[in-house]
Amino acid sequence: MEPTKIEQDILAAAQKLFLEKGFAGTSTTDIANEVGCNQALIHYYYRTKDNLFEKVFLQEINDTLKMISKVLDAPLQNVSLTELVNIVIDYYFATLKQRPNLPFFIVQELLLNPGRREMIREQFIRNEYRQEAYNKYAAIIRRMTAAGEIRQIEPFALLINTVSLVAGTFLSLPLYGDLLEKSGEEQETYLDSRKEEIKRVLISRLQP
Amino acid sequence: MEPTKIEQDILAAAQKLFLEKGFAGTSTTDIANEVGCNQALIHYYYRTKDNLFEKVFLQEINDTLKMISKVLDAPLQNVSLTELVNIVIDYYFATLKQRPNLPFFIVQELLLNPGRREMIREQFIRNEYRQEAYNKYAAIIRRMTAAGEIRQIEPFALLINTVSLVAGTFLSLPLYGDLLEKSGEEQETYLDSRKEEIKRVLISRLQP
DNA sequence: GTCTATAAGGAGATAGAC
DNA sequence: GTCTATCTCCTTATAGAC
């Protein structure tokens, strides 16, 4: 059952607003205004706000994992450590620049509402792209460790390092802009400098 | 004007609940129940929920900066790179273990409500402990760089690296526990292993 | 399918008794 | 100072006209 245009419009509007203002900060009336219809129509198509949120959240997770999996399909078998870090971090930054709120959104909704974690865990555990992406990734790290091209490290630990550094950059971006009163250009420069610094950190950690 | 006992009780209850469930997720009725009084009393002492939140938030920031400043008063002038990283990261972890929700709380409330950032910026900019802590910290890094004891690095970049890695660990902790279904003991082990890994990362990055 | 109207409940804030 | 009662507004969700 292909989703109709109006269903897609509602989903897109909900996605935009949930990402911006979170679940609690977005009312179904807000979503209706964004779509250009009345509030009852939101409920006609998605019944409850919770259900609509679930659809949005799962789609975000799915799309993200699919993208992550995709970059690992590039021929990474024979690249050097420096090349590997460059490819992964450049790609990661480019992806997040399109959705700068994504780290915040995921952190917020996953931490704030423990009641929703059950639903999320089920979908997360059985998500095919997640398994696939992690296995591809871990295989690369293990191979390079065995070949002596990088220092000994647990793939999971390296993953948390990378995600922390990159997500931390995007989480700190609005604070950098607001608290330190930086312009849009300066924020661009900040992102670029963080990108290069993160590469240095990862290469230092991995270089034998 | 010393705050009375009831005022302190309300503040403590509000702090607990805001840290747990965020501003939007906490009602003044919740706070009253936690205190053991009626909801009107909250408003009698603090007028609005916003005002109460402001008090809580500023106190959190102030306490945190004060603690950070304190550790930098230790005699760090003659320690090695490894010792310095050990002291700072151990202290940082011990502090956050007492308030594991703090990173999430700050991220959430700072990002979610742009209207509040103005108030926060003012307090943040003129906070004496912040200036003090950052200056002490930057002086140490610059001295060690000049002495050739660590590699060239911008103090601010190193700060963001450190905060990202440590905050990322605490933000990921409930996800680690929930999504991967880890017990409390395993979460303790996770924290310890993250602590040691973060030290390795920072030392690798800084070692000449 | 899409609308208006409205029900039902919860929120923050205040009035006024004690 | 502390309580109960209540006002007003906003939310989600549904009923029913078209």
Side-chain angles (χ1 to χ4, degrees):
Chain A
M1 43 188 180
E2 192 69 4
T4 64
K5 181 179 183 316
I6 178 72
E7 282 176 305
Q8 287 179 332
D9 285 353
I10 293 174
L11 205 65
Q15 186 193 53
K16 175 172 182 286
L17 293 176
F18 283 147
L19 274 168
E20 259 172 39
K21 309 194 293 174
F23 177 81
T26 305
S27 69
T28 50
T29 307
D30 292 338
I31 297 171
N33 289 342
E34 178 79 21
V35 173
C37 68
N38 59 82
Q39 180 252 354
L41 210 62
I42 310 298
H43 292 275
Y44 174 76
Y45 280 108
Y46 290 92
R47 278 191 49 82
T48 67
K49 187 186 167 188
D50 268 290
N51 179 48
L52 174 56
F53 178 82
E54 191 169 325
K55 295 274 189 299
V56 169
F57 193 91
L58 294 178
Q59 201 186 28
E60 283 304 305
I61 287 195
N62 211 52
D63 289 357
T64 305
L65 291 172
K66 200 188 289 191
M67 284 188 299
I68 289 173
S69 181
K70 209 181 66 186
V71 72
L72 295 174
D73 283 333
L76 299 173
Q77 273 63 38
N78 296 311
V79 297
S80 69
L81 167 61
T82 308
E83 287 166 334
L84 179 67
V85 168
N86 263 310
I87 290 171
V88 170
I89 298 300
D90 282 347
Y91 182 81
Y92 206 165
F93 262 77
T95 303
L96 279 180
K97 266 194 193 177
Q98 320 265 21
R99 308 180 115 60
N101 297 343
L102 190 63
F104 172 59
F105 175 71
I106 289 179
V107 163
Q108 192 205 14
E109 302 302 346
L110 225 45
L111 295 194
L112 206 56
N113 193 332
R116 251 197 308 262
R117 284 188 218 165
E118 178 103 11
M119 168 278 278
I120 293 168
R121 178 176 57 232
E122 276 181 32
Q123 300 289 336
F124 180 75
I125 293 294
R126 70 180 53 159
N127 186 294
E128 48 172 338
Y129 296 113
R130 178 195 137 270
Q131 293 271 3
E132 196 181 291
Y134 187 76
N135 290 340
K136 279 191 239 172
Y137 157 78
I140 292 172
I141 300 305
R142 294 221 178 82
R143 183 181 53 70
M144 291 182 80
T145 309
E149 290 168 33
I150 64 175
R151 254 198 283 175
Q152 173 69 35
I153 191 168
E154 200 62 45
F156 185 71
L158 178 59
L159 176 67
I160 300 288
N161 290 346
T162 308
V163 172
S164 293
L165 287 165
V166 177
T169 296
F170 281 88
L171 288 176
S172 67
L173 184 61
L175 310 184
Y176 180 78
D178 246 51
L179 295 188
L180 304 180
E181 294 188 297
K182 302 294 187 181
S183 68
E185 266 183 54
E186 286 170 310
Q187 294 183 36
E188 275 291 320
T189 311
Y190 176 68
L191 277 188
D192 286 340
S193 74
R194 286 304 302 159
K195 190 167 73 175
E196 297 310 315
E197 171 62 19
I198 289 170
K199 291 176 186 175
R200 277 191 292 273
V201 169
L202 294 178
I203 290 171
S204 303
R205 172 66 182 88
L206 292 174
Q207 209 144 44
Chain B
M1 42 187 179
E2 191 71 4
T4 64
K5 178 177 184 320
I6 178 72
E7 281 176 307
Q8 288 179 331
D9 286 353
I10 293 173
L11 206 65
Q15 187 195 52
K16 174 172 183 289
L17 293 177
F18 283 148
L19 273 167
E20 260 172 38
K21 308 195 294 174
F23 178 81
T26 305
S27 70
T28 51
T29 307
D30 292 338
I31 297 171
N33 289 343
E34 178 79 21
V35 173
C37 68
N38 59 82
Q39 179 249 357
L41 211 61
I42 309 297
H43 290 277
Y44 174 76
Y45 281 108
Y46 290 92
R47 278 189 50 82
T48 66
K49 186 186 168 189
D50 268 289
N51 179 48
L52 175 56
F53 179 83
E54 192 169 324
K55 298 273 189 297
V56 169
F57 193 91
L58 293 179
Q59 201 186 28
E60 283 304 304
I61 287 195
N62 210 52
D63 289 357
T64 305
L65 292 172
K66 201 188 288 191
M67 285 187 299
I68 289 174
S69 182
K70 209 181 65 186
V71 72
L72 295 174
D73 283 334
L76 299 174
Q77 272 64 37
N78 297 310
V79 297
S80 69
L81 167 60
T82 308
E83 286 166 335
L84 180 67
V85 169
N86 264 309
I87 291 170
V88 170
I89 298 300
D90 283 346
Y91 182 81
Y92 205 164
F93 262 76
T95 304
L96 280 181
K97 267 193 192 176
Q98 321 265 23
R99 307 179 115 60
N101 297 343
L102 190 62
F104 172 60
F105 175 71
I106 290 180
V107 163
Q108 191 204 16
E109 302 302 347
L110 225 46
L111 296 194
L112 206 56
N113 192 333
R116 252 196 309 261
R117 283 190 219 164
E118 179 102 12
M119 168 279 277
I120 292 168
R121 178 176 57 232
E122 277 182 32
Q123 300 288 338
F124 180 74
I125 293 293
R126 71 179 52 157
N127 185 294
E128 48 172 339
Y129 296 114
R130 179 194 136 270
Q131 294 271 4
E132 198 181 289
Y134 188 76
N135 290 341
K136 278 191 240 173
Y137 156 77
I140 291 172
I141 300 305
R142 293 221 179 81
R143 183 181 53 70
M144 291 182 80
T145 310
E149 292 167 31
I150 62 175
R151 255 198 283 175
Q152 173 69 34
I153 190 168
E154 201 62 45
F156 184 72
L158 178 60
L159 177 66
I160 300 288
N161 290 346
T162 309
V163 171
S164 294
L165 287 166
V166 177
T169 296
F170 280 89
L171 288 175
S172 66
L173 183 61
L175 310 185
Y176 180 78
D178 247 49
L179 295 188
L180 304 181
E181 295 188 295
K182 302 295 187 179
S183 68
E185 265 183 55
E186 286 171 310
Q187 294 182 37
E188 275 291 320
T189 310
Y190 176 68
L191 278 188
D192 287 340
S193 74
R194 286 303 304 157
K195 189 166 74 173
E196 297 311 315
E197 171 61 21
I198 289 171
K199 290 177 185 174
R200 276 192 291 273
V201 169
L202 294 177
I203 289 171
S204 302
R205 172 66 182 86
L206 292 174
Q207 210 145 42

